[in-house]
Amino acid sequence: MASKAQRMPRGLRIATSIFIIVWFFLAAFPFFWTLWGSFKVELDFFSIADWTNSLTGERTVAEHGSPFTGRGYEGAWIQEEFWRNVINTFIVCFFVVTISLTIGTLGGYALSRSTYNYTFWLLITALIFRAMPPITLVSGYLLPFFEWNVWGILPTTIIVLVAINQPFTLWMLHSFFKNIPKELDESAKVDGCNQFQAFRRVIIPIMWPGVITTGLFSFLLAYNDFAVTAMLLSESNRTMVPAIAAFLGTTQTEGNVMFAVAAVVSATVPLFILVMFFQRQIVSGLTAGAVKG
Amino acid sequence: MRHKTFLWFFLPTGAAMILFIFMPIISVLMQSVYAPHEAVLEEVENCVPLVGCTIETKINQDATAALREAEPLGRFVGLEIYKDRGHLATEEVKAAWAESETWGEFREKLTNLPFYRAMGFTLTFIIFVTPLGIILGLAIALAVNSLHRHLKGLMIFFSLLPMIVTPLIGSLVLFWMIDSRGIIGSALVGLVGDPNFSLKASTGLMWVALIVYGIWHAAPFGFVVFYAGLQTLPKDQLESAQIDGATRWQQIRYVVIPHLMPLVTFVGLIQLMDNFKIFEPIVGFQASAHATSLSWIIYNDMSGETRQLSAASATSVLTILGVAILLSPVLVRTWHDFKGAK
């Protein structure tokens, strides 16, 4: 690949390798460390006496007879009923992704096909909305939601997250639809389709790559949200992230930090799998706005 | 596309944004100029035979409830909430300015006010994290780009993790490691040689920890964008630079970096806005005694038993103004692009 002149001198090659290894370590080690430690007892994971205890699990052996224990997971999933939060998270994510993609593709398609000036102003408004931290909107939600008695339930949170998601979805899908030539829907219209039929029969079959990428980011937004879910969900309807935050408050007094550690590992696993399978889409989504702009 | 067709296509998403973004902004603005009603007081003459009469001041529960029912927004106070001690604290700042002899003293007094304390940390965070995140991202991109094809995929996978993982979870994972009983924390204790040494106890160290988290979280975004930019590097320019005898560093300095410059601006602007919103790490690191941000103040005002919606709203409006200022260069640029495209 690299021409001879491009090949690095030995010293630089070594320096680069060291740098890459250090970064790899920084990026990956914390997760593996926490995963390993989540199967230990608290005195091993947080060992005052000797840090090698967290590797060998000396206390864990003393307490449970083997260097690995599922006690943290048992405590989190069964005792603290973390499975409810997991189910809630997946309900929220599923509906947020489907609804925001459905209404987002319609809007994004319209924005990419209309030639009037107002599309620009709509996109600018969306950009401003996108830049606002979601938490600044929350105090605006609370009073009306209390008034209408819809605070604390999942559907409210889903709709709010869909709306917060829309500006981003619109931008992403708009730039994606821009790359699909207009001639395609023009010719469908010549053949007697109206705008919606052209969208349905011509655009939908070829839009999947862009929709999948956008869907991934919608999923991440809903999955990673803390500000909205923490403020808008009642205790019994919590999703994973606010539940973990609540764990910190309750478990530390009871000496059950390991429940929180196990919950954190459980919540990271789906993200690992997601990045593993959709790495290419995530990279292309992140760079879509940048390289072209 | 005709106006009517456009309207139908855009209606669902437009309605969602109007109802749940635009209206809440209006609602936040309204709440920030209204304060909750004070309790209605009444004077009751309390007469006990033989002792005499005393006048007591009591809360009239019914009247208070009725008033709150009639005007749920509260009483109009104008910009009072913005000027109070929890927000811009105009009086306190004036007093501090008048009393302080030196800049240091003035700064000292300002950091006792919640709003300025939060701004102080947020600005420090932005100043360190934005450039360092970009530089680290660029370095990773250059290094990964020189790797073998098979290793690239693996490195991209692991490099994405710090950014993709939920910020609260990422900060907890790091926090448990730097806890004085965690692996890095106890290593530091060993290094310093003081068994009572703790990151959590020192404001300076907590700031460093948050900034390190911020860079860890921000670098992958820069990396991905720069890495994509490196794939479109002008090969012929690089070759002619080599023929002219440019060293490796000169090639990077005069060909690669100019090529990536628009991306640096892009990443910088995005990071600037992101870092301004810093919130989850403060919760995850339990750092609120040492470092706060505007988002954290809003969260703190709203959670707990007494939801201080007026205070939270005023801080929200100030945050939105801050974001708007940071966003203005992007808007100007989009406007120029739009005009150029026409």
Side-chain angles (χ1 to χ4, degrees):
Chain A
M1 283 205 309
S3 64
K4 201 163 192 178
Q6 277 286 64
R7 195 168 295 159
M8 293 188 181
R10 202 189 152 101
L12 188 62
R13 213 164 58 222
I14 294 173
T16 314
S17 309
I18 292 175
F19 175 72
I20 278 287
I21 292 168
V22 169
W23 167 247
F24 174 79
F25 200 69
L26 285 176
F29 177 70
F31 297 105
F32 289 116
W33 177 255
T34 312
L35 172 70
W36 180 265
S38 68
F39 291 100
K40 302 271 182 277
V41 293
E42 191 182 333
L43 282 176
D44 276 336
F45 186 54
F46 296 105
S47 55
I48 312 165
D50 182 3
W51 69 273
T52 54
N53 278 1
S54 38
L55 283 180
T56 55
E58 197 175 293
R59 298 284 187 138
T60 318
V61 176
E63 255 178 70
H64 295 278
S66 96
F68 297 99
T69 169
R71 181 72 195 98
Y73 290 90
E74 203 188 309
W77 281 73
I78 299 167
Q79 197 175 319
E80 300 283 331
E81 303 199 318
F82 190 61
W83 56 272
R84 285 181 197 277
N85 310 119
V86 176
I87 293 174
N88 285 337
T89 297
F90 283 100
I91 294 174
V92 168
C93 289
F94 175 78
F95 284 105
V96 168
V97 171
T98 16
I99 300 174
S100 53
L101 283 183
T102 315
I103 66 176
T105 34
L106 289 173
Y109 174 70
L111 285 176
S112 74
R113 289 303 184 258
S114 177
T115 45
Y116 294 103
N117 257 348
Y118 54 74
T119 54
F120 170 74
W121 294 110
L122 286 173
L123 282 169
I124 283 286
T125 318
L127 186 68
I128 297 170
F129 284 167
R130 183 191 157 183
M132 290 192 324
I135 195 154
T136 56
L137 297 174
V138 174
S139 60
Y141 296 135
L142 289 174
L143 272 186
F145 287 177
F146 283 135
E147 190 87 341
W148 305 330
N149 219 3
V150 290
W151 181 86
I153 53 174
L154 291 178
T156 318
T157 306
I158 290 171
I159 295 175
V160 166
L161 285 176
V162 165
I164 289 179
N165 223 339
Q166 278 311 297
F168 170 75
T169 314
L170 281 180
W171 265 91
M172 194 113 176
L173 287 170
H174 160 257
S175 64
F176 177 74
F177 282 131
K178 271 251 133 117
N179 290 338
I180 297 182
K182 273 185 186 169
E183 286 73 23
L184 276 179
D185 7 352
E186 300 289 320
S187 60
K189 279 199 219 160
V190 170
D191 290 347
C193 289
N194 62 29
Q195 187 85 47
F196 186 76
Q197 284 167 328
F199 173 69
R200 223 196 69 139
R201 293 179 197 275
V202 179
I203 302 297
I204 289 187
I206 54 168
M207 71 179 187
W208 289 110
V211 170
I212 289 174
T213 309
T214 317
L216 276 170
F217 283 91
S218 301
F219 176 86
L220 285 175
L221 182 135
Y223 192 92
N224 288 347
D225 179 85
F226 172 60
V228 172
T229 47
M231 301 309 308
L232 289 188
L233 286 173
S234 63
E235 206 177 318
S236 53
N237 283 331
R238 270 187 192 135
T239 51
M240 285 197 257
V241 180
I244 289 170
F247 265 153
L248 293 176
T250 57
T251 52
Q252 244 155 15
T253 47
E254 296 161 19
N256 282 333
V257 186
M258 294 321 287
F259 292 4
V261 178
V264 157
V265 173
S266 314
T268 318
V269 170
L271 291 174
F272 251 76
I273 298 171
L274 195 82
V275 181
M276 212 179 280
F277 282 99
F278 294 104
Q279 183 175 324
R280 187 176 305 228
Q281 282 83 354
I282 292 175
V283 171
S284 77
L286 285 173
T287 51
V291 182
K292 262 182 266 152
Chain B
M1 197 184 256
R2 278 177 308 163
H3 296 308
K4 211 180 148 194
T5 334
F6 180 84
L7 183 71
W8 281 113
F9 269 95
F10 197 74
L11 189 64
T13 173
M17 287 195 291
I18 288 177
L19 280 176
F20 292 99
I21 301 182
F22 181 70
M23 301 293 272
I25 297 177
I26 303 293
S27 161
V28 166
L29 272 172
M30 292 286 285
Q31 282 180 43
S32 69
V33 290
Y34 282 92
H37 288 294
E38 279 159 9
V40 180
L41 300 178
E42 58 176 3
E43 291 186 341
V44 183
E45 200 174 26
N46 197 7
C47 292
V48 183
L50 299 177
V51 181
C53 290
T54 51
I55 291 177
E56 276 179 31
T57 314
K58 269 189 174 173
I59 294 174
N60 184 335
Q61 299 289 358
D62 292 338
T64 310
L67 183 61
R68 286 191 179 149
E69 183 72 25
E71 296 166 35
L73 267 176
R75 62 205 159 86
F76 182 78
V77 290
L79 295 177
E80 279 311 304
I81 301 174
Y82 289 96
K83 291 192 214 150
D84 71 10
R85 192 177 182 284
H87 299 89
L88 292 176
T90 38
E91 291 300 312
E92 284 84 350
V93 173
K94 264 185 219 152
W97 181 249
E99 287 164 21
S100 309
E101 309 257 301
T102 59
W103 274 102
E105 207 184 323
F106 181 57
R107 229 186 60 197
E108 184 81 3
K109 283 188 175 138
L110 271 192
T111 50
N112 286 328
L113 300 164
F115 177 82
Y116 296 99
R117 209 162 78 89
M119 286 308 281
F121 172 69
T122 311
L123 289 180
T124 318
F125 187 79
I126 291 178
I127 287 169
F128 281 99
V129 172
T130 314
L132 291 178
I134 288 177
I135 292 169
L136 182 61
L138 185 62
I140 302 168
L142 286 170
V144 169
N145 199 36
S146 69
L147 284 178
H148 187 263
R149 201 154 46 86
H150 295 298
L151 278 174
K152 277 182 184 168
L154 187 78
M155 274 314 296
I156 294 174
F157 171 77
F158 282 106
S159 303
L160 281 176
L161 287 178
M163 173 184 59
I164 297 288
V165 162
T166 318
L168 185 75
I169 289 180
S171 51
L172 279 175
V173 164
L174 288 199
F175 177 66
W176 286 326
M177 290 174 78
I178 61 165
D179 187 282
S180 58
R181 299 166 301 153
I183 175 161
I184 299 177
S186 55
L188 283 179
V189 170
L191 222 66
V192 175
D194 173 6
N196 294 321
F197 175 82
S198 168
L199 273 176
K200 280 184 276 186
S202 143
T203 299
L205 288 173
M206 206 68 215
W207 283 31
V208 172
L210 283 165
I211 287 169
V212 168
Y213 167 82
I215 297 170
W216 185 72
H217 177 74
F221 179 65
F223 155 65
V224 168
V225 173
F226 296 141
Y227 181 76
L230 285 177
Q231 308 311 308
T232 59
L233 213 57
K235 286 266 159 54
D236 45 343
Q237 276 186 35
L238 264 186
E239 269 162 29
S240 39
Q242 275 161 22
I243 292 167
D244 291 347
T247 62
R248 184 167 296 275
W249 170 243
Q250 282 170 330
Q251 287 171 35
I252 291 184
R253 174 73 188 78
Y254 294 105
V255 181
V256 177
I257 292 188
H259 175 71
L260 294 180
M261 215 48 212
L263 300 182
V264 172
T265 337
F266 168 79
V267 174
L269 286 170
I270 297 268
Q271 299 290 14
L272 207 64
M273 283 189 276
D274 261 8
N275 295 334
F276 183 71
K277 301 185 216 169
I278 176 187
F279 164 50
E280 281 102 332
I282 296 177
V283 178
F285 279 55
Q286 294 159 20
S288 53
H290 305 293
T292 53
S293 71
L294 293 186
S295 297
W296 184 85
I297 294 179
I298 300 173
Y299 173 78
N300 193 45
D301 279 345
M302 281 192 301
S303 49
E305 287 296 298
T306 52
R307 295 175 187 267
Q308 296 166 311
L309 292 185
S310 297
S313 299
T315 315
S316 297
V317 174
L318 293 173
T319 314
I320 294 175
L321 287 179
V323 171
I325 292 169
L326 292 177
L327 189 66
S328 50
V330 185
L331 292 181
V332 170
R333 193 180 136 193
T334 319
W335 170 243
H336 282 301
D337 284 357
F338 174 71
K339 285 193 101 176
K342 266 186 114 178

